[in-house]
Amino acid sequence: MSTFFQCQCFMTNNIYLQTYNLHVDYRNSEQFWKDYGQSLKSMGCCSETDRRKVTEEIQNELQRRSTLDVDSHKRKQIIKETYRPLYPHLYKLKEDFFHPEFLHLVDQCITSQSLMSVQQYLHTISEEKSIFMFPVFTEEFCTQFLEELVNFEQSLLPKGKPNTMNNYGVLLNELGFYEDFLNPLRIHYLQPITKLLFPKEGGGNLDSQKGFTVKYKVGEDVDLGYHYDNAEVTLNVCLGSNFTGGELYFGDMKTVPLWKTTCSTVEQQPYCGILHRGQQLHGALPVTSGERHNLVIWMRSSSIRNRLCPMCDRIPILVPAEAYGDGFTQERQTVDVCGVF
Ligand SMILES: O=C(O)CCC(=O)C(=O)O
Ligand SMILES: [Fe+2]
């Protein structure tokens, strides 16, 4: 396995202010208030107390990020040593977890290798935006997987936040779902599909992922603000039907100015996955009753992101990281020896 890295921008960029539903960059106090003071004021951040709360929220998030790798590694160890899974067989991917239509789609992608001929095996939500939907898992798998998540949630073991924005859900690497579940899922099943549907985004060359579940419930997180993912291609699978509301909405790519953007809503289907580009802006409407759990896989292609970090839009400045980091690798430079004296 190659060694993976993070981009240095993780410590300064895309900090989510939940109160104002705003992503900000923070290098120092002076820069921050100069860049965001006016907009925050127009959103009601007026008093000294409001401003102090914003600064605190940023400091807390930066603190969380600065020890994230070490903390995550510790949690993973503790879970490995002490957690008793409810369904140990789930941790090793098996073909009978999949919906038959999914297996058919994967087969078609491998054998025909033409976009036209696989289109009948998936639902194209938007051709223009490249958003697709198809069944992924069986109902039985999703039910057991959800019970496993609940079993873990109810344990007293340490838990991390799934990402910068979601507060509820499970980090699947910490629970032990990477090696024998998410890796083979990406390599043998998802990559044949993404290779055809997302060639420009590195869909044929996805070499790592961040996988987690998200949970929404009245009284906890109910919705998710508009954002793009730290991913080249994302698969988002709806794990159950026990909720109302919670539709996803998709806008344009993040390079399109907001005033030109049109958004469309997608109603989720239980056990189905929505596949989209990571940089396609999207969010989730409030859940109005019940609990919504989704499995989200941010798939990464180092060959794409090594050239441009999708979070800061610059050539990434690599810093060492645990496990898959944020999916960057250090490519060996080829030196033209004849030209070197
Ligand atoms: O709430 C959802 O299902 C969307 C989650 C999402 O977009 C993300 O975690 O990146
Ligand atoms: Fe997302």
PDB file of all heavy atoms in Angstrom, residues 163 165-166 212 224-225 227-230 234 236 276 278 280 282-283 296 298, ligand 2:
ATOM      1  N   ASN A 163     -17.552  13.616  10.032  1.00  0.00           N
ATOM      2  CA  ASN A 163     -16.838  14.614   9.222  1.00  0.00           C
ATOM      3  C   ASN A 163     -17.018  15.972   9.866  1.00  0.00           C
ATOM      4  O   ASN A 163     -17.573  16.077  10.957  1.00  0.00           O
ATOM      5  CB  ASN A 163     -17.338  14.590   7.762  1.00  0.00           C
ATOM      6  CG  ASN A 163     -18.835  14.850   7.681  1.00  0.00           C
ATOM      7  OD1 ASN A 163     -19.346  15.758   8.312  1.00  0.00           O
ATOM      8  ND2 ASN A 163     -19.546  14.020   6.926  1.00  0.00           N
ATOM      9  N   MET A 165     -19.017  18.349   9.206  1.00  0.00           N
ATOM     10  CA  MET A 165     -20.369  18.904   9.290  1.00  0.00           C
ATOM     11  C   MET A 165     -21.342  18.036  10.086  1.00  0.00           C
ATOM     12  O   MET A 165     -22.222  18.549  10.745  1.00  0.00           O
ATOM     13  CB  MET A 165     -20.944  19.103   7.881  1.00  0.00           C
ATOM     14  CG  MET A 165     -20.180  20.106   7.052  1.00  0.00           C
ATOM     15  SD  MET A 165     -20.845  20.169   5.378  1.00  0.00           S
ATOM     16  CE  MET A 165     -22.285  21.171   5.601  1.00  0.00           C
ATOM     17  N   ASN A 166     -21.232  16.706   9.958  1.00  0.00           N
ATOM     18  CA  ASN A 166     -22.187  15.818  10.639  1.00  0.00           C
ATOM     19  C   ASN A 166     -21.709  15.515  12.065  1.00  0.00           C
ATOM     20  O   ASN A 166     -20.541  15.218  12.269  1.00  0.00           O
ATOM     21  CB  ASN A 166     -22.310  14.488   9.885  1.00  0.00           C
ATOM     22  CG  ASN A 166     -23.034  14.638   8.569  1.00  0.00           C
ATOM     23  OD1 ASN A 166     -22.416  14.908   7.548  1.00  0.00           O
ATOM     24  ND2 ASN A 166     -24.334  14.490   8.583  1.00  0.00           N
ATOM     25  N   PHE A 212     -18.219   6.456   6.004  1.00  0.00           N
ATOM     26  CA  PHE A 212     -18.858   6.718   7.298  1.00  0.00           C
ATOM     27  C   PHE A 212     -20.362   6.638   7.129  1.00  0.00           C
ATOM     28  O   PHE A 212     -20.868   6.596   6.001  1.00  0.00           O
ATOM     29  CB  PHE A 212     -18.450   8.103   7.842  1.00  0.00           C
ATOM     30  CG  PHE A 212     -18.637   9.218   6.849  1.00  0.00           C
ATOM     31  CD1 PHE A 212     -19.811   9.953   6.799  1.00  0.00           C
ATOM     32  CD2 PHE A 212     -17.633   9.527   5.939  1.00  0.00           C
ATOM     33  CE1 PHE A 212     -19.982  10.973   5.878  1.00  0.00           C
ATOM     34  CE2 PHE A 212     -17.798  10.538   5.003  1.00  0.00           C
ATOM     35  CZ  PHE A 212     -18.964  11.267   4.973  1.00  0.00           C
ATOM     36  N   LEU A 224     -28.495  18.878   6.431  1.00  0.00           N
ATOM     37  CA  LEU A 224     -27.071  19.068   6.130  1.00  0.00           C
ATOM     38  C   LEU A 224     -26.948  20.236   5.164  1.00  0.00           C
ATOM     39  O   LEU A 224     -27.624  20.264   4.121  1.00  0.00           O
ATOM     40  CB  LEU A 224     -26.511  17.778   5.503  1.00  0.00           C
ATOM     41  CG  LEU A 224     -25.010  17.765   5.256  1.00  0.00           C
ATOM     42  CD1 LEU A 224     -24.236  17.798   6.567  1.00  0.00           C
ATOM     43  CD2 LEU A 224     -24.610  16.514   4.479  1.00  0.00           C
ATOM     44  N   GLY A 225     -26.078  21.209   5.535  1.00  0.00           N
ATOM     45  CA  GLY A 225     -25.897  22.403   4.701  1.00  0.00           C
ATOM     46  C   GLY A 225     -25.286  22.064   3.337  1.00  0.00           C
ATOM     47  O   GLY A 225     -24.756  20.969   3.122  1.00  0.00           O
ATOM     48  N   HIS A 227     -22.795  21.853   0.441  1.00  0.00           N
ATOM     49  CA  HIS A 227     -21.344  21.639   0.525  1.00  0.00           C
ATOM     50  C   HIS A 227     -20.860  20.798  -0.650  1.00  0.00           C
ATOM     51  O   HIS A 227     -21.668  20.257  -1.405  1.00  0.00           O
ATOM     52  CB  HIS A 227     -21.000  20.897   1.828  1.00  0.00           C
ATOM     53  CG  HIS A 227     -21.503  19.479   1.820  1.00  0.00           C
ATOM     54  ND1 HIS A 227     -22.820  19.143   2.049  1.00  0.00           N
ATOM     55  CD2 HIS A 227     -20.877  18.289   1.568  1.00  0.00           C
ATOM     56  CE1 HIS A 227     -22.981  17.837   1.953  1.00  0.00           C
ATOM     57  NE2 HIS A 227     -21.812  17.290   1.653  1.00  0.00           N
ATOM     58  N   TYR A 228     -19.553  20.687  -0.771  1.00  0.00           N
ATOM     59  CA  TYR A 228     -18.987  19.670  -1.666  1.00  0.00           C
ATOM     60  C   TYR A 228     -18.169  18.734  -0.794  1.00  0.00           C
ATOM     61  O   TYR A 228     -17.839  19.061   0.348  1.00  0.00           O
ATOM     62  CB  TYR A 228     -18.134  20.292  -2.791  1.00  0.00           C
ATOM     63  CG  TYR A 228     -17.082  21.259  -2.328  1.00  0.00           C
ATOM     64  CD1 TYR A 228     -15.797  20.823  -2.003  1.00  0.00           C
ATOM     65  CD2 TYR A 228     -17.366  22.617  -2.209  1.00  0.00           C
ATOM     66  CE1 TYR A 228     -14.830  21.716  -1.574  1.00  0.00           C
ATOM     67  CE2 TYR A 228     -16.403  23.515  -1.771  1.00  0.00           C
ATOM     68  CZ  TYR A 228     -15.143  23.060  -1.461  1.00  0.00           C
ATOM     69  OH  TYR A 228     -14.184  23.944  -1.022  1.00  0.00           O
ATOM     70  N   ASP A 229     -17.858  17.541  -1.342  1.00  0.00           N
ATOM     71  CA  ASP A 229     -17.180  16.528  -0.534  1.00  0.00           C
ATOM     72  C   ASP A 229     -15.672  16.559  -0.778  1.00  0.00           C
ATOM     73  O   ASP A 229     -15.216  16.991  -1.844  1.00  0.00           O
ATOM     74  CB  ASP A 229     -17.691  15.126  -0.912  1.00  0.00           C
ATOM     75  CG  ASP A 229     -19.189  14.981  -0.667  1.00  0.00           C
ATOM     76  OD1 ASP A 229     -19.729  15.746   0.159  1.00  0.00           O
ATOM     77  OD2 ASP A 229     -19.793  14.098  -1.298  1.00  0.00           O
ATOM     78  N   ASN A 230     -14.940  16.024   0.167  1.00  0.00           N
ATOM     79  CA  ASN A 230     -13.503  15.829  -0.038  1.00  0.00           C
ATOM     80  C   ASN A 230     -13.339  14.486  -0.764  1.00  0.00           C
ATOM     81  O   ASN A 230     -12.883  13.499  -0.192  1.00  0.00           O
ATOM     82  CB  ASN A 230     -12.784  15.846   1.304  1.00  0.00           C
ATOM     83  CG  ASN A 230     -11.279  15.870   1.128  1.00  0.00           C
ATOM     84  OD1 ASN A 230     -10.770  15.651   0.017  1.00  0.00           O
ATOM     85  ND2 ASN A 230     -10.556  16.134   2.202  1.00  0.00           N
ATOM     86  N   THR A 234     -18.580  10.281  -5.042  1.00  0.00           N
ATOM     87  CA  THR A 234     -19.235   9.882  -3.781  1.00  0.00           C
ATOM     88  C   THR A 234     -20.378   8.910  -4.052  1.00  0.00           C
ATOM     89  O   THR A 234     -21.151   9.112  -4.987  1.00  0.00           O
ATOM     90  CB  THR A 234     -19.807  11.132  -3.065  1.00  0.00           C
ATOM     91  OG1 THR A 234     -18.731  11.989  -2.700  1.00  0.00           O
ATOM     92  CG2 THR A 234     -20.572  10.755  -1.800  1.00  0.00           C
ATOM     93  N   ASN A 236     -23.655   7.489  -1.978  1.00  0.00           N
ATOM     94  CA  ASN A 236     -24.448   7.740  -0.774  1.00  0.00           C
ATOM     95  C   ASN A 236     -25.640   6.777  -0.765  1.00  0.00           C
ATOM     96  O   ASN A 236     -26.562   6.924  -1.556  1.00  0.00           O
ATOM     97  CB  ASN A 236     -24.915   9.202  -0.807  1.00  0.00           C
ATOM     98  CG  ASN A 236     -25.688   9.575   0.441  1.00  0.00           C
ATOM     99  OD1 ASN A 236     -26.052   8.716   1.241  1.00  0.00           O
ATOM    100  ND2 ASN A 236     -25.951  10.850   0.612  1.00  0.00           N
ATOM    101  N   HIS A 276     -22.409  10.416  -7.337  1.00  0.00           N
ATOM    102  CA  HIS A 276     -22.233  11.767  -7.899  1.00  0.00           C
ATOM    103  C   HIS A 276     -20.787  12.218  -7.764  1.00  0.00           C
ATOM    104  O   HIS A 276     -20.011  11.627  -6.993  1.00  0.00           O
ATOM    105  CB  HIS A 276     -23.187  12.751  -7.208  1.00  0.00           C
ATOM    106  CG  HIS A 276     -22.946  12.935  -5.725  1.00  0.00           C
ATOM    107  ND1 HIS A 276     -22.037  13.836  -5.218  1.00  0.00           N
ATOM    108  CD2 HIS A 276     -23.487  12.320  -4.639  1.00  0.00           C
ATOM    109  CE1 HIS A 276     -22.049  13.781  -3.894  1.00  0.00           C
ATOM    110  NE2 HIS A 276     -22.911  12.859  -3.508  1.00  0.00           N
ATOM    111  N   GLY A 278     -17.790  14.373  -6.389  1.00  0.00           N
ATOM    112  CA  GLY A 278     -17.617  14.965  -5.064  1.00  0.00           C
ATOM    113  C   GLY A 278     -17.753  16.482  -5.093  1.00  0.00           C
ATOM    114  O   GLY A 278     -18.189  17.090  -4.113  1.00  0.00           O
ATOM    115  N   GLN A 280     -19.719  18.249  -6.873  1.00  0.00           N
ATOM    116  CA  GLN A 280     -21.077  18.711  -7.188  1.00  0.00           C
ATOM    117  C   GLN A 280     -21.694  19.191  -5.875  1.00  0.00           C
ATOM    118  O   GLN A 280     -21.824  18.402  -4.932  1.00  0.00           O
ATOM    119  CB  GLN A 280     -21.874  17.509  -7.724  1.00  0.00           C
ATOM    120  CG  GLN A 280     -23.213  17.843  -8.316  1.00  0.00           C
ATOM    121  CD  GLN A 280     -23.101  18.151  -9.796  1.00  0.00           C
ATOM    122  OE1 GLN A 280     -22.397  17.471 -10.510  1.00  0.00           O
ATOM    123  NE2 GLN A 280     -23.773  19.191 -10.225  1.00  0.00           N
ATOM    124  N   HIS A 282     -24.081  19.976  -2.929  1.00  0.00           N
ATOM    125  CA  HIS A 282     -25.304  19.291  -2.519  1.00  0.00           C
ATOM    126  C   HIS A 282     -25.558  19.488  -1.028  1.00  0.00           C
ATOM    127  O   HIS A 282     -24.687  19.955  -0.292  1.00  0.00           O
ATOM    128  CB  HIS A 282     -25.223  17.794  -2.841  1.00  0.00           C
ATOM    129  CG  HIS A 282     -24.046  17.118  -2.191  1.00  0.00           C
ATOM    130  ND1 HIS A 282     -22.766  17.231  -2.668  1.00  0.00           N
ATOM    131  CD2 HIS A 282     -23.960  16.338  -1.083  1.00  0.00           C
ATOM    132  CE1 HIS A 282     -21.946  16.549  -1.894  1.00  0.00           C
ATOM    133  NE2 HIS A 282     -22.646  15.999  -0.913  1.00  0.00           N
ATOM    134  N   GLY A 283     -26.747  19.127  -0.608  1.00  0.00           N
ATOM    135  CA  GLY A 283     -27.111  19.221   0.809  1.00  0.00           C
ATOM    136  C   GLY A 283     -28.297  18.309   1.058  1.00  0.00           C
ATOM    137  O   GLY A 283     -28.753  17.601   0.155  1.00  0.00           O
ATOM    138  N   VAL A 296     -22.098   6.713   3.523  1.00  0.00           N
ATOM    139  CA  VAL A 296     -21.473   7.633   2.567  1.00  0.00           C
ATOM    140  C   VAL A 296     -20.037   7.177   2.320  1.00  0.00           C
ATOM    141  O   VAL A 296     -19.283   6.941   3.270  1.00  0.00           O
ATOM    142  CB  VAL A 296     -21.483   9.078   3.129  1.00  0.00           C
ATOM    143  CG1 VAL A 296     -20.828  10.044   2.147  1.00  0.00           C
ATOM    144  CG2 VAL A 296     -22.909   9.528   3.437  1.00  0.00           C
ATOM    145  N   TRP A 298     -16.768   8.481   0.375  1.00  0.00           N
ATOM    146  CA  TRP A 298     -16.051   9.490  -0.403  1.00  0.00           C
ATOM    147  C   TRP A 298     -14.870   8.771  -1.061  1.00  0.00           C
ATOM    148  O   TRP A 298     -13.910   8.385  -0.367  1.00  0.00           O
ATOM    149  CB  TRP A 298     -15.497  10.576   0.506  1.00  0.00           C
ATOM    150  CG  TRP A 298     -16.519  11.518   1.089  1.00  0.00           C
ATOM    151  CD1 TRP A 298     -17.851  11.617   0.793  1.00  0.00           C
ATOM    152  CD2 TRP A 298     -16.258  12.520   2.081  1.00  0.00           C
ATOM    153  NE1 TRP A 298     -18.426  12.619   1.545  1.00  0.00           N
ATOM    154  CE2 TRP A 298     -17.474  13.186   2.329  1.00  0.00           C
ATOM    155  CE3 TRP A 298     -15.111  12.933   2.774  1.00  0.00           C
ATOM    156  CZ2 TRP A 298     -17.573  14.238   3.255  1.00  0.00           C
ATOM    157  CZ3 TRP A 298     -15.204  13.959   3.681  1.00  0.00           C
ATOM    158  CH2 TRP A 298     -16.429  14.611   3.914  1.00  0.00           C
TER     159      TRP A 298
HETATM  160 FE    FE B   2     -21.660  15.348   0.806  1.00  0.00          FE
END
